[in-house]
Amino acid sequence: MTNQVAKEVVTVPDLGGADEVSIIELCLSVGDSVELEQSLLVLESDKATMDVPSPVAGSLAKYLVADGDTVRVGDPIAEIELSADSQESSETAVQETPDAPQGNQSQSHQSDTNKPPAVADPSVSDSESQEQIVLVPDIGSEDKIEVIELSVSVGDAVEEGDTLVVLESDKATMDVPSSHTGIIVDILVTEGDKLGTGDQVAKLQLSGSKTVVQVPVETAVSPVENKTETPAVPEVIPSQQPKAATVASVTASNENVYAGPAVRLLARELGVDLTQVNGTGPKGRIQKDDLNNFVKSALQASSQTQNHAGIPQVPAIDFSQFGEVETVKLSKIQKVTADNMHRNWLNVPHVTQFDDADITDLEEFRKSLKEESEKRGVRVTPVAFLIKAIAATLAANPAFNRSLTADGESYIQKHYLHVGMAVDTPRGLVVPVIRDVDKKGIWQLSADIMDLADKARQGALKPSDMQGGCFTLSSLGAIGGQGFTPIVNSPEVGILGVSKSQIKPVWNGAEFVPRLMLPLSLSYDHRLINGGDAGRFMTHLVKLLGNIGYLAL
Ligand code: CAO
């Protein structure tokens, strides 16, 4: 038993003939967990791109190279801290010391996986013919693999390296590239055929020798569901194929996507269509960062669409061109209010209904309370009567005391009567809730109004003070105005806007008489409230305010 963490140094595997290659992408960060066969980095020669998969599972201790470095076969490239499983299985096969990198370790592990064989059959040529037959190379298995795509047609001009057909097993997708430049004179397979090593694929017409060539297979370790892979020029190595390195997506496709297996795997996991992603790597190769940036901007675009519900955004304007300006940050309350208003405006189909309540008698009665109000230290304003009348009207019109469920399939009928009251504060608009209004008299309600309005202005309201409202009152009476259309405070379904009372001439059947009239505007959610419901609500409310004796009943 040892407490030491075993490590494996991964080296550059056999490059299939390439002398030196550049590192064009480090796929992981230090500390990342590494799965067996997960791409550690991407190498690129002048002809091909190769992902170097990890020969062991564990976590990335460090990279021993940097992006842009040039490396050769056997150069150490990364150090992996082995997981418990890897340690057990590596007792015989893996060297644990970082000081002794083992150039073939990767190969020993790789041999377990579905890879092209180490050595392909040599080319066979006939210099007297103009034709060349392309064969399936050594696919490292006795099994036959299905042709899933014919990438060319008879008559097509192909260049050396162009993909002729794509094969797919349950573990890998392989492109069979053309070994020479020429014209396709015959395709010797059809989609769905099962091919094995040495089977004929296509016949080329070319000027030169007749050559029967076994070309290397370009393999992607992970299954490639997205067939939109990429072109690049694959390296043709008649005598030897890459062993440990997995040649990445250097394959042709209609959509011209060029990305490595790690990026493709991530794209599949995220559901990203790689044809939509711009590659910023060499030859337009899609890097992990390209994918990340694509996802980020897609999320941003989607959140903007949600915020604006598909409505074109107001263009940003530089107002300083018209005169002196300053930019002031919104307070938290202002931002929350803006979000809530926008959400409610967009979600709730609003209708607003108007009426005037004759509060001549109400005001006379309220003024008669002045002396007692002073004794009690309570200020009684029309708002206390409005809130009391709203609760009574809600009780008589329960349709206004409902909320639609989020799925729109049901409504919640509330059997309590809590009324919210919009309060204008220097920090912004807040709506504290007066609870159980039906159980309180005008004195208590007036005290509650004063208390909550004070707390609101001092910023001392608790979140619970602003929750649970059934309906909202927005009274601008002390400020002014003849009427306005308030926005429903969803999930409530109704809100009453109250404007400044005025003496108006009212026809009593015989003559015009001066009466104190209070303008009311009732906005409602037309999903749950019909015009009839609203008409009944308003009529009931106007009746109560016109004769507060009813409130005592
Ligand atoms: N018409 C005429 N006068 C009115 C009135 C009305 N509809 N409502 C209240 N008043 C008078 C009262 O009679 C009182 O005057 P007196 O002291 O002479 O009797 C004075 O206005 C009281 O005003 P107030 O604002 O101090 O107290 P209030 O109880 O009327 O209102 C509150 C309390 C918290 C509702 C109010 O202060 C407030 O903040 N209103 C703003 C609500 C708002 O911003 N709504 C918009 C939301 S959506 O944008």
Side-chain angles (χ1 to χ4, degrees):
M1 287 279 288
T2 172
N3 289 331
Q4 276 192 328
V5 181
K7 290 181 181 164
E8 161 115 355
V9 171
V10 182
T11 57
V12 177
D14 187 336
L15 296 168
D19 206 18
E20 282 187 339
V21 288
S22 301
I23 293 169
I24 61 162
E25 191 179 336
L26 301 179
C27 303
L28 301 171
S29 302
V30 171
D32 280 357
S33 64
V34 182
E35 288 176 22
L36 184 67
E37 299 300 337
Q38 187 172 354
S39 285
L40 296 173
L41 49 75
V42 183
L43 306 174
E44 190 172 66
S45 70
D46 55 345
K47 290 184 181 167
T49 308
M50 294 157 260
D51 280 40
V52 178
S54 176
V56 288
S59 67
L60 180 66
K62 61 177 157 182
Y63 277 117
L64 304 170
V65 288
D67 202 355
D69 281 2
T70 301
V71 289
R72 293 165 164 272
V73 175
D75 284 353
I77 49 178
E79 203 173 277
I80 310 287
E81 279 185 7
L82 299 181
S83 65
D85 286 353
S86 287
Q87 284 187 45
E88 277 172 30
S89 64
S90 67
E91 276 175 8
T92 54
V94 176
Q95 280 283 357
E96 294 183 0
T97 164
D99 297 322
Q102 300 296 304
N104 286 330
Q105 283 169 9
S106 296
Q107 294 172 27
S108 65
H109 288 271
Q110 294 270 334
S111 62
D112 298 335
T113 61
N114 184 20
K115 298 292 182 313
V119 180
D121 286 346
S123 306
V124 177
S125 64
D126 176 352
S127 61
E128 290 167 10
S129 172
Q130 297 291 308
E131 286 184 350
Q132 175 177 303
I133 308 277
V134 179
L135 303 183
V136 175
D138 185 347
I139 56 175
S141 162
E142 295 295 307
D143 298 336
K144 299 255 181 188
I145 303 182
E146 188 176 339
V147 177
I148 58 158
E149 188 181 306
L150 301 181
S151 308
V152 289
S153 308
V154 171
D156 282 357
V158 293
E159 296 197 1
E160 177 185 325
D162 284 354
T163 296
L164 301 182
V165 300
V166 180
L167 311 178
E168 188 176 67
S169 71
D170 54 351
K171 289 191 183 154
T173 302
M174 305 168 200
D175 285 23
V176 178
S178 176
S179 56
H180 289 78
T181 299
I183 307 283
I184 304 280
V185 290
D186 200 1
I187 297 173
L188 307 169
V189 294
T190 57
E191 269 181 31
D193 281 359
K194 300 237 169 152
L195 301 181
T197 304
D199 286 346
Q200 296 190 345
V201 175
K203 191 187 285 182
L204 295 181
Q205 177 78 44
L206 66 166
S207 54
S209 62
K210 175 180 177 183
T211 309
V212 179
V213 180
Q214 283 205 317
V215 291
V217 173
E218 310 295 342
T219 308
V221 168
S222 48
V224 181
E225 287 150 21
N226 185 350
K227 299 295 180 305
T228 54
E229 296 190 10
T230 5
V233 184
E235 192 169 12
V236 177
I237 310 161
S239 60
Q240 194 175 30
Q241 295 186 17
K243 293 180 193 171
T246 303
V247 179
S249 51
V250 282
T251 57
S253 84
N254 298 336
E255 280 84 6
N256 281 353
V257 172
Y258 181 25
V263 169
R264 287 200 311 274
L265 180 65
L266 188 58
R268 279 199 301 280
E269 285 170 359
L270 296 172
V272 172
D273 175 1
L274 282 176
T275 60
Q276 307 293 313
V277 181
N278 279 336
T280 60
K283 297 177 191 156
R285 180 185 168 86
I286 298 171
Q287 318 264 45
K288 211 170 167 189
D289 276 352
D290 298 330
L291 189 55
N292 287 337
N293 290 338
F294 176 84
V295 171
K296 265 188 222 155
S297 51
L299 285 173
Q300 271 166 8
S302 135
S303 93
Q304 275 177 4
T305 305
Q306 279 168 17
N307 285 342
H308 299 282
I311 299 165
Q313 261 185 282
V314 176
I317 291 175
D318 175 13
F319 295 99
S320 66
Q321 62 185 309
F322 309 119
E324 197 181 327
V325 293
E326 62 177 318
T327 302
V328 182
K329 285 263 176 221
L330 293 182
S331 70
K332 202 175 161 207
I333 291 178
Q334 285 172 317
K335 275 198 267 187
V336 170
T337 301
D339 284 349
N340 288 345
M341 290 295 178
H342 198 186
R343 184 196 64 210
N344 296 340
W345 179 257
L346 292 173
N347 278 299
V348 176
H350 282 78
V351 177
T352 306
Q353 151 149 3
F354 304 90
D355 207 346
D356 283 349
D358 184 341
I359 59 165
T360 315
D361 297 343
L362 185 156
E363 275 297 88
E364 207 173 305
F365 175 68
R366 185 181 70 87
K367 281 178 184 151
S368 74
L369 297 174
K370 198 168 178 218
E371 204 176 316
E372 194 174 348
S373 301
E374 281 165 5
K375 272 195 215 151
R376 288 175 179 257
V378 175
R379 189 162 157 254
V380 180
T381 70
V383 168
F385 291 91
L386 281 162
I387 285 176
K388 185 74 186 167
I390 285 168
T393 309
L394 282 175
N397 296 271
F400 273 83
N401 201 7
R402 292 173 185 160
S403 283
L404 203 55
T405 53
D407 62 8
E409 297 286 326
S410 324
Y411 66 77
I412 310 293
Q413 179 68 60
K414 295 161 202 167
H415 298 295
Y416 50 83
L417 291 159
H418 306 334
V419 178
M421 171 183 70
V423 180
D424 182 37
T425 81
R427 291 183 199 82
L429 177 68
V430 287
V431 185
V433 173
I434 300 165
R435 287 172 198 275
D436 298 315
V437 175
D438 54 320
K439 295 176 186 148
K440 293 176 180 168
I442 294 296
W443 296 119
Q444 181 62 52
L445 288 173
S446 296
D448 284 3
I449 291 165
M450 280 172 60
D451 178 46
L452 289 171
D454 281 352
K455 280 187 181 160
R457 291 188 179 113
Q458 288 159 20
L461 288 172
K462 293 182 289 209
S464 59
D465 291 331
M466 294 179 277
Q467 291 166 356
C470 304
F471 184 99
T472 296
L473 166 69
S474 175
S475 172
L476 290 174
I479 300 169
Q482 295 189 354
F484 63 104
T485 55
I487 296 176
V488 171
N489 190 15
S490 189
E492 297 167 18
V493 294
I495 181 169
L496 184 74
V498 176
S499 297
K500 192 174 182 66
S501 58
Q502 281 183 8
I503 301 283
K504 287 185 183 172
V506 176
W507 185 253
N508 68 3
E511 58 182 346
F512 282 104
V513 290
R515 302 295 292 178
L516 186 61
M517 305 303 288
L518 183 69
L520 305 174
S521 45
L522 174 70
S523 293
Y524 56 91
D525 184 339
H526 211 337
R527 291 175 301 178
L528 217 49
I529 304 289
N530 293 327
D533 300 323
R536 280 185 286 277
F537 185 97
M538 186 67 110
T539 305
H540 194 92
L541 183 67
V542 165
K543 183 175 142 192
L544 292 183
L545 293 171
N547 188 343
I548 53 167
Y550 284 118
L551 284 176
L553 297 178

